[in-house]
Amino acid sequence: MCTGLKAAETVDAILSEPERTDELQLAYSNFYKTGYDVYGRLIHAYYEAGYSLRGFLMEAGFDISGDQLGTNKWVARLVSGDFWNPRNVLLRHLRAQSRWDTFAPFEPHWGCPFYEELNVAEDEEAAREPAPVA
């Protein structure tokens, strides 16, 4: 649904500003590829770990039992369709698995239209936290 919404917005923008067609098509292509690339990687992880996302997470070193690293939040957001969030440690790990590359290299699009308010809130919270002492 997310890529369909973005496709409609892109078509509307192209009809309004045809001189930007190439730029807008490239932006949509990167958005689409980012979402489907991450989704495909999540599917690969599930099947390679014996039909177990938990098994993949454990093999990758993510602790979801006590959630000391906040992993559960990222798992929940990822399986809910937040495929465009560079803050997500699980998403970054999935994208680092070159064996699951589907598309030729492309510029990832970051910023999911459905979760942006969470991203803004997290940025604001991080800005208020004191810097770690070295």
Side-chain angles (χ1 to χ4, degrees):
M1 289 179 45
C2 190
T3 57
L5 174 63
K6 184 63 88 173
E9 292 170 351
T10 301
V11 169
D12 182 56
I14 288 171
L15 292 173
S16 299
E17 302 176 75
E19 68 280 1
R20 295 184 56 217
T21 296
D22 291 345
E23 168 198 348
L24 294 165
Q25 285 177 335
L26 178 61
Y28 175 75
S29 175
N30 289 336
F31 177 83
Y32 177 91
K33 288 177 183 175
T34 301
Y36 278 89
D37 178 68
V38 173
Y39 183 57
R41 290 167 189 274
L42 186 60
I43 292 168
H44 281 290
Y46 175 78
Y47 284 109
E48 281 188 16
Y51 308 100
S52 169
L53 186 56
R54 181 181 185 89
F56 169 76
L57 293 167
M58 292 172 58
E59 288 173 17
F62 291 99
D63 178 12
I64 60 171
S65 60
D67 200 31
Q68 292 88 346
L69 303 175
T71 305
N72 289 339
K73 169 179 82 171
W74 296 120
V75 170
R77 294 222 354 224
L78 188 66
V79 300
S80 297
D82 188 6
F83 301 146
W84 296 270
N85 189 339
R87 295 171 190 83
N88 189 321
V89 294
L90 176 55
L91 184 152
R92 289 194 316 256
H93 179 75
L94 289 169
R95 287 204 32 92
Q97 308 307 309
S98 61
R99 70 186 183 276
W100 297 332
D101 288 350
T102 302
F103 298 104
F106 65 96
E107 186 68 34
H109 173 92
W110 301 119
C112 182
F114 297 112
Y115 294 100
E116 192 54 34
E117 70 282 355
L118 292 176
N119 297 337
V120 170
E122 289 165 354
D123 286 345
E124 290 170 354
E125 182 180 325
R128 288 190 300 271
E129 293 178 3
V133 178

